[in-house]
Amino acid sequence: MTGPLAGVRVVDLTAALAGPYTTMILADLGADIIKVEPPGGEVTRRVGPYPPSDDGQATLGGYFQSVNRGKRSIVLDLKTPEGHAELLELVRNADVLVENFGPGVVERLDISYETMRQVNPRLVYGSLTGFGSTWSGESPYMNWPAMDITIQAMAGALSITGTEDGKPVKIGPGIGDIFPGTMLAIGVLSALFEAERTGQGQQIDVAMFDAMLSLCERIVYQYSYTGQVPKPIGNTHPILTPFDVLEVKDGWIAVAATTQLRWEALCRIMERPELIEDARFRNETCRVEHRAEIRTLLDDWSRDLTRAEVTEKLGGKVPFGPVNDIRDIFDDPHAWARDMLVEIDNPGSSQKAIVAGQPIKFSRTPSKVGTRAPLLNEHGAAIRTENRSPAFERSH
């Protein structure tokens, strides 16, 4: 691996999306991720879609490939003394352990941080739960299970997403999982940096609720400052305008000409320079007060143009973008040029898997999507051999 985390070894006890997304980031940055799976395999191995098989054998599904690429798999039954002992040996030679078990599971399996720190005092132990650990702030919801949509609901995201007169709408991606997973990766990296200086590890606790509330930071200060409860306002912004999605002949576009200079540029592009001096639109505050009138003006201008025509007029001049579906993105050279669409192998199928790339770029130690996701227990023998090697233990 070439990334900045080359040489860092991570024991990955995660499943589903939030935790595997954390370790996926670390894998892309060069860490050696040892994915510990139960005898039947991690649950998302059984989730599609699957590519066509060349020989009738099972192939790796898209869900599993996307967030488990670049990892190595070993099967351990942590409910048995043998499996538990093998995990302790992995932890002895690891830098990081990441887990996202449900409430009480690590205690029942005797794999809590308190147990693991006795084996490896330098260990960074990352925990991702719905509502947090007792030591970092006991919550009345501590034992509640959590999923993306329930966390989006409880942490405020659903209350401000949707149209003004409609029902709450879930944010499209699984952001209630992915954002907490990203925050845990930041926590792990911070604790690794600190451990290098002190020789001591620590536990990191990221609650999905906490992470999502931090993502919804705007509604916190809005309510604190005004006493008003923010509501859904569609594609607009409560304190900026124009900031909206407009219909064109063949689809939709997004425009955000919110500063004075960008508003003036937009007026000139629309061949309406007189709007610059119009008292209703003379500054940002006035434009917010006359949001509906601006929307009418923009609709009158955009509805007779195509996406290509609007792109020619606005592209590079004011903040603008076509509303792309994934087919549009696959056809756009930007995502390929930036290595944000990456092909990886799919065992048993001649069809390559394409997954989202790694957005963090480094000038000297490049990050990259490495190998495909592992087959179940594909690396078990190799990992056990490494872990028994005195040379590995000393060098690590």
Side-chain angles (χ1 to χ4, degrees):
M1 301 299 290
T2 62
L5 295 184
V8 172
R9 181 174 255 209
V10 179
V11 175
D12 179 2
L13 302 181
T14 67
L17 179 55
Y21 195 86
T22 299
T23 51
M24 178 211 78
I25 294 173
L26 303 179
D28 287 353
L29 300 188
D32 176 19
I33 310 297
I34 300 175
K35 185 173 181 66
V36 176
E37 301 190 63
E42 201 249 281
V43 62
T44 58
R45 285 189 180 274
R46 299 183 286 278
V47 178
Y50 297 96
S53 173
D54 296 337
D55 55 10
Q57 299 300 309
T59 55
L60 292 172
Y63 192 141
F64 190 81
Q65 277 269 48
S66 181
V67 293
N68 289 288
R69 77 274 186 113
K71 303 178 185 180
R72 300 196 290 162
S73 171
I74 183 171
V75 168
L76 300 179
D77 186 349
L78 301 183
K79 297 178 181 179
T80 67
E82 297 79 12
H84 188 271
E86 280 201 90
L87 177 65
L88 295 185
E89 286 305 307
L90 288 178
V91 167
R92 196 180 309 279
N93 291 323
D95 301 288
V96 178
L97 182 148
V98 182
E99 60 88 12
N100 67 331
F101 286 111
V105 174
V106 296
E107 287 78 18
R108 290 198 301 273
L109 294 175
D110 192 24
I111 58 172
S112 68
Y113 176 59
E114 288 69 27
T115 297
M116 296 305 172
R117 69 189 296 191
Q118 304 303 315
V119 175
N120 182 353
R122 291 180 58 93
L123 184 71
V124 170
Y125 187 109
S127 297
L128 195 154
T129 60
F131 299 97
S133 302
T134 302
W135 64 266
S136 57
E138 191 162 359
S139 161
Y141 311 122
M142 196 72 69
N143 294 318
W144 285 26
M147 295 287 284
D148 166 47
I149 192 169
T150 64
I151 291 298
Q152 287 196 35
M154 293 183 71
L158 260 66
S159 75
I160 54 170
T161 306
T163 58
E164 190 171 358
D165 57 352
K167 297 178 180 179
V169 176
K170 181 183 79 69
I171 300 169
I175 198 165
D177 287 308
I178 288 172
F179 187 67
T182 303
M183 295 295 279
L184 183 57
I186 294 171
V188 166
L189 297 177
S190 300
L192 274 174
F193 178 78
E194 197 272 343
E196 282 294 311
R197 292 181 294 164
T198 65
Q200 294 295 309
Q202 59 183 307
Q203 186 173 11
I204 304 107
D205 173 34
V206 172
M208 295 165 69
F209 178 95
D210 299 356
M212 281 302 294
L213 183 57
S214 76
L215 187 65
C216 296
E217 49 80 33
R218 173 173 58 80
I219 65 174
V220 176
Y221 73 74
Q222 279 185 286
Y223 180 68
S224 171
Y225 274 55
T226 68
Q228 297 178 348
V229 177
K231 299 294 184 183
I233 53 174
N235 295 310
T236 63
H237 194 284
I239 56 177
L240 300 172
T241 203
F243 187 104
D244 215 335
V245 173
L246 309 175
E247 189 170 8
V248 294
K249 275 185 176 180
D250 55 351
W252 300 85
I253 63 164
V255 176
T258 56
T259 67
Q260 189 63 32
L261 288 177
R262 286 168 172 168
W263 165 249
E264 292 178 6
L266 179 59
C267 291
R268 294 188 183 99
I269 291 168
M270 294 193 302
E271 299 180 354
R272 296 293 305 273
E274 73 279 4
L275 298 177
I276 297 171
E277 304 300 328
D278 192 309
R280 297 170 297 171
F281 313 133
R282 67 177 180 272
N283 59 39
E284 287 90 343
T285 301
C286 292
R287 289 194 290 277
V288 170
E289 293 172 354
H290 295 276
R291 182 197 315 275
E293 293 158 83
I294 290 177
R295 176 58 193 253
T296 298
L297 291 166
L298 293 176
D299 282 338
D300 289 343
W301 173 73
S302 69
R303 66 166 57 101
D304 294 325
L305 300 171
T306 64
R307 280 169 40 125
E309 290 168 339
V310 175
T311 299
E312 179 65 27
K313 292 176 182 292
L314 297 184
K317 302 176 181 68
V318 298
F320 149 83
V323 177
N324 290 331
D325 60 26
I326 192 59
R327 181 184 301 167
D328 298 321
I329 294 170
F330 268 53
D331 290 340
D332 192 321
H334 173 85
W336 294 101
R338 299 290 300 170
D339 291 327
M340 288 308 302
L341 296 174
V342 181
E343 287 188 341
I344 55 178
D345 290 332
N346 213 322
S349 177
S350 56
Q351 178 179 308
K352 295 281 189 177
I354 299 178
V355 297
Q358 176 51 244
I360 308 172
K361 316 293 185 184
F362 297 87
S363 63
R364 188 170 53 82
T365 56
S367 61
K368 65 177 183 178
V369 174
T371 58
R372 59 168 172 78
L375 301 174
L376 182 61
N377 203 39
E378 181 174 355
H379 307 93
I383 291 169
R384 288 181 173 92
T385 299
E386 290 171 3
N387 220 49
R388 288 193 296 264
S389 167
F392 173 81
E393 188 168 354
R394 285 196 300 271
S395 66
H396 192 73

